Amino acid sequence: MQPADNASLITPFYVMELLARAKALENQGRDIVHMEIGEPDFSAPEAVVEAGVRAMRAGQVKYTAAAGLPELRSALARYYGEHYGVDLPERRIFIAPGASGALLLALAASLNAGDEVLLADPGYPCYRNFVRLFGAEPVSVATRASDGHRLGWPQLRAAWSGRTAGAIVASPANPTGVVLDEPTLGELCEGVAGQGGFLVSDEIYHGLEYGPRCPTALQFGSQAFVINSFSKYFCMTGWRLGWLVAPDSHVETVERLAQNLFISAPTHSQYAAVAALADPQARAELEQRRLEFQRRRDYLQQALARLGFGLSAPPEGAFYVYADCSRFTQDSDAFARDLLEQAGVAITPGRDFGETAASRHVRFAYTTSLERLEEGVKRMERYLAGVSRDSAAPGF
């Protein structure tokens, strides 16, 4: 008996191998500075936790409707009105088990076997794997460091073919932290719609922006699929809760898919999410955390530049710095592994994010305290000083 053909096309998340090795070293007594995993080090605000606990104690742990708890869908509709000025009907909002569940719904409702889907390179690796799972083909569109790795409609239009069904874009993006401004995102929405294709806008890092507020694709019409989550800004990763905003044309299809794929998202998490959106104390706490992420970003990008890493542009959102390490190596994977073994600093090599200059880039996640980031920078400084004296170091 053999695994399914499509499943065999799914590539591993290479950073998980590094994380496993980092954990093994910690079990041996080593101290590791973790800058590899994109998970906030903060827990959910106390008001959010209490709302989830109250729901469980009150016995509110039965299935909800497949589309989600009505109170949560209503709260999200208000959220879009207050934050983006978008009048969003609740019927278009579907609660899913994480942003991954929302992406699964969007692609299941849109893709046929043999379709092509355009993706930014570098970009989040699971996009490619989800597309392959449906028998479709991901097509990487290289972005330029000189443009801050920003993906625009001219690049998508040049890559569009007769087999192209649609595109997935992200803002803020992983791994680059790039934000698509209103003109760029609006042109993307208009261009893809003009081709008769679908657009999935991954907005999972909205709220974690360090300049103007990120626009949503919903500001430019009702044809895009929009994905978001309570994992990143709301610091609720393990609660496994995200949402999808679907075009009217796909609402009935998405609901049928949700009924069959998930039955419903975790009920207690949905009650907690209502508090995350509505509780003033929780929102104030989340804003303070955003400011802390900004302080970390400012420190880390300056420190990395001082060490000799190349930075194309300051990351405008999320919690990553995508840095050019070619001054030190032409093999970022070997570089990341040696940095872990020799210096006790865990980072992510570029090959997790595509092919465009992947061997010359690494990603740093500032999802640990400023004190730990400072320790990590000190260790890297010592490590790089040793590398400059020893050209025989692995990967160099």
Side-chain angles (χ1 to χ4, degrees):
M1 185 170 62
Q2 297 295 320
D5 291 342
N6 287 353
S8 68
L9 299 174
I10 305 304
T11 57
F13 223 156
Y14 296 109
V15 68
M16 301 310 293
E17 298 175 10
L18 280 165
L19 177 61
R21 178 57 182 162
K23 295 294 186 183
L25 291 173
E26 286 177 322
N27 289 337
Q28 296 171 17
R30 291 279 302 277
D31 177 67
I32 305 298
V33 178
H34 290 277
M35 289 190 270
E36 77 279 39
I37 296 299
E39 180 174 26
D41 54 321
F42 301 109
S43 298
E46 185 61 27
V48 175
V49 174
E50 287 301 318
V53 170
R54 282 197 304 271
M56 289 188 288
R57 286 177 173 162
Q60 294 169 319
V61 291
K62 303 293 185 180
Y63 295 138
T64 67
L69 191 70
E71 297 97 306
L72 180 54
R73 298 172 79 195
S74 177
L76 282 167
R78 290 193 300 273
Y79 180 79
Y80 276 96
E82 294 167 1
H83 286 259
Y84 303 103
V86 171
D87 183 12
L88 179 61
E90 294 174 28
R91 67 177 181 276
R92 293 177 54 200
I93 302 172
F94 293 85
I95 310 303
S100 295
L103 178 60
L104 182 63
L105 288 174
L107 294 182
S110 305
L111 280 180
N112 293 306
D115 285 346
E116 292 182 349
V117 181
L118 305 182
L119 310 168
D121 187 347
Y124 181 53
C126 290
Y127 300 150
R128 304 189 297 269
N129 288 329
F130 272 46
V131 169
R132 292 186 182 113
L133 194 61
F134 289 101
E137 183 178 348
V139 176
S140 296
V141 180
T143 58
R144 297 187 296 269
S146 58
D147 294 334
H149 295 287
R150 186 169 281 100
L151 179 66
W153 172 240
Q155 294 150 288
L156 285 187
R157 181 178 56 199
W160 203 279
S161 77
R163 291 177 54 201
T164 303
I168 303 174
V169 299
S171 176
N174 176 11
T176 61
V178 65
V179 169
L180 301 178
D181 59 21
E182 288 194 14
T184 301
L185 185 56
E187 188 180 25
L188 277 168
C189 292
E190 181 180 355
V192 171
Q195 294 287 337
F198 71 84
L199 180 70
V200 175
S201 180
D202 184 348
E203 302 178 0
I204 188 174
Y205 293 100
H206 272 220
L208 294 174
E209 58 245 337
Y210 313 114
R213 177 173 290 167
C214 298
T216 173
L218 299 174
Q219 294 171 222
F220 308 104
S222 59
Q223 296 305 303
F225 290 90
V226 169
I227 291 170
N228 209 323
S229 170
F230 289 93
S231 290
K232 307 301 184 180
Y233 174 73
F234 295 97
C235 302
M236 295 173 64
T237 50
W239 298 75
R240 302 314 304 136
L241 202 65
W243 71 89
L244 171 70
V245 180
D248 267 320
S249 57
H250 287 66
V251 163
E252 189 271 337
T253 299
V254 169
E255 185 153 18
R256 279 190 286 110
L257 288 166
Q259 290 167 348
N260 283 273
L261 291 173
F262 308 130
I263 300 180
S264 68
T267 302
H268 70 290
S269 299
Q270 295 188 60
Y271 280 103
V274 173
L277 292 168
D279 187 278
Q281 183 178 348
R283 296 309 303 274
E285 188 173 345
L286 292 169
E287 173 59 16
Q288 289 303 308
R289 294 175 178 184
R290 184 191 70 82
L291 294 174
E292 176 59 23
F293 278 126
Q294 184 169 352
R295 283 189 285 270
R296 296 176 185 180
R297 178 204 66 161
D298 293 345
Y299 166 75
L300 186 59
Q301 66 181 0
Q302 292 172 13
L304 292 174
R306 176 176 58 81
L307 292 178
F309 290 91
L311 306 176
S312 58
E316 303 158 306
F319 34 57
Y320 308 112
V321 178
Y322 196 58
D324 186 330
C325 59
S326 59
R327 177 176 175 181
F328 313 112
T329 183
Q330 295 298 312
D331 185 346
S332 61
D333 187 58
F335 178 82
R337 293 177 186 278
D338 197 52
L339 185 65
L340 174 61
E341 298 290 340
Q342 302 301 321
V345 177
I347 62 175
T348 306
R351 71 169 176 163
D352 251 340
F353 307 107
E355 299 178 356
T356 302
S359 64
R360 303 199 306 272
H361 283 81
V362 290
R363 189 194 72 177
F364 297 86
Y366 42 96
T367 49
T368 189
S369 69
L370 186 58
E371 179 182 19
R372 293 297 285 168
L373 291 177
E374 291 170 342
E375 173 62 24
V377 167
K378 290 178 183 176
R379 295 183 187 185
M380 286 192 289
E381 188 168 21
R382 291 193 295 268
Y383 169 81
L384 293 172
V387 164
S388 66
R389 295 191 301 267
D390 182 9
S391 61
F396 296 87

